[in-house]
Amino acid sequence: MSRANGRSGASGADQEFDDLMAALLPDLVRYFARRIPDAHAAVDCAADTALIMYERFTQLPISADERRAWAFGIARNVRSSHLRKSVRRLEIDDALREVLVGEISDVAEVASRNEQINQVLRALPTLSSADQELLTLVVWDELQVQQAGAVVGLNPTAARKRYERARNRWRKAYAGLGSEA
């Protein structure tokens, strides 16, 4: 048997929900804690259950026993959903690992590339912060020069000029690092 929508005011319904949650929340947390090894995930699942109960509060059974069973039915569905998501996350993690391992074929090549990247990064701080920002928006974030200029508040012409000058300053700094080695 479900309650009708004829509750006496929103504050009465809110108080009724608060009372119900005060009684059930410790039991729901224990339910999840026994079934989900990660304590944070267990608490999140209990919170998700409370949210669903709040959203469906008009369907709340009248008797206390039915309310408890109703709450645990929702908790069971939340737990099932959590477990499905966990399995999918593991599958995605495994697939990503396979892709990444496949891309890293030669350790020496990776080490050489990392050294080049380190040199590039060592040259970057020699530039002003404005130049660094413009260059990194274009190179790392793959924005067009005009788009990067808009991000830092430059018109397209000024952005192109500043980018060209920044790139030239960076090249000089980078070349200087090569002669130091």
Side-chain angles (χ1 to χ4, degrees), residues 6-23:
R7 295 204 199 301
S8 59
S11 64
D14 287 345
Q15 185 59 50
E16 188 176 358
F17 180 76
D18 290 346
D19 293 344
L20 175 65
M21 288 315 301

Side-chain angles (χ1 to χ4, degrees), residues 116-125 127 129 131-145 147-148 163 170:
Q116 289 171 344
I117 290 170
N118 286 335
Q119 274 192 305
V120 166
L121 293 176
R122 282 195 302 269
L124 200 57
L127 304 177
S129 61
D131 286 350
Q132 288 179 40
E133 182 68 16
L134 189 61
L135 283 174
T136 57
L137 285 169
V138 172
V139 176
W140 291 346
D141 300 309
E142 299 177 357
L143 294 178
Q144 294 179 1
V145 174
Q147 294 170 326
Y163 177 73
W170 175 85

Side-chain angles (χ1 to χ4, degrees), residues 44-166:
D44 287 345
C45 286
D48 290 345
T49 301
L51 178 62
I52 293 168
M53 289 173 60
Y54 183 78
E55 291 170 347
R56 298 182 184 167
F57 196 61
T58 58
Q59 302 167 5
L60 178 68
I62 294 175
S63 93
D65 289 339
E66 289 176 357
R67 286 179 178 194
R68 186 172 167 76
W70 178 74
F72 278 87
I74 293 171
R76 182 176 179 271
N77 290 337
V78 168
R79 178 180 160 261
S80 295
S81 176
H82 170 78
L83 294 175
R84 280 191 306 274
K85 288 176 187 175
S86 296
V87 168
R88 276 185 288 215
R89 272 192 296 269
L90 290 174
E91 290 170 351
I92 290 170
D93 287 349
D94 289 344
L96 283 173
R97 257 187 236 98
E98 287 179 28
V99 168
L100 292 175
V101 167
E103 287 184 8
I104 300 175
S105 58
D106 184 13
V107 175
E109 177 185 329
V110 171
S112 172
R113 191 173 20 182
N114 284 344
E115 180 53 36
Q116 289 171 344
I117 290 170
N118 286 335
Q119 274 192 305
V120 166
L121 293 176
R122 282 195 302 269
L124 200 57
T126 65
L127 304 177
S128 71
S129 61
D131 286 350
Q132 288 179 40
E133 182 68 16
L134 189 61
L135 283 174
T136 57
L137 285 169
V138 172
V139 176
W140 291 346
D141 300 309
E142 299 177 357
L143 294 178
Q144 294 179 1
V145 174
Q146 296 84 349
Q147 294 170 326
V151 170
V152 298
L154 298 172
N155 68 44
T157 303
R160 282 191 296 275
K161 286 180 183 177
R162 182 173 291 174
Y163 177 73
E164 184 178 329
R165 290 178 188 143

Side-chain angles (χ1 to χ4, degrees), residues 11-40:
S11 64
D14 287 345
Q15 185 59 50
E16 188 176 358
F17 180 76
D18 290 346
D19 293 344
L20 175 65
M21 288 315 301
L24 286 177
L25 196 55
D27 293 336
L28 290 171
V29 170
R30 277 192 295 275
Y31 170 87
F32 287 111
R34 290 180 188 126
R35 291 163 176 83
I36 299 175
D38 179 7
H40 295 290

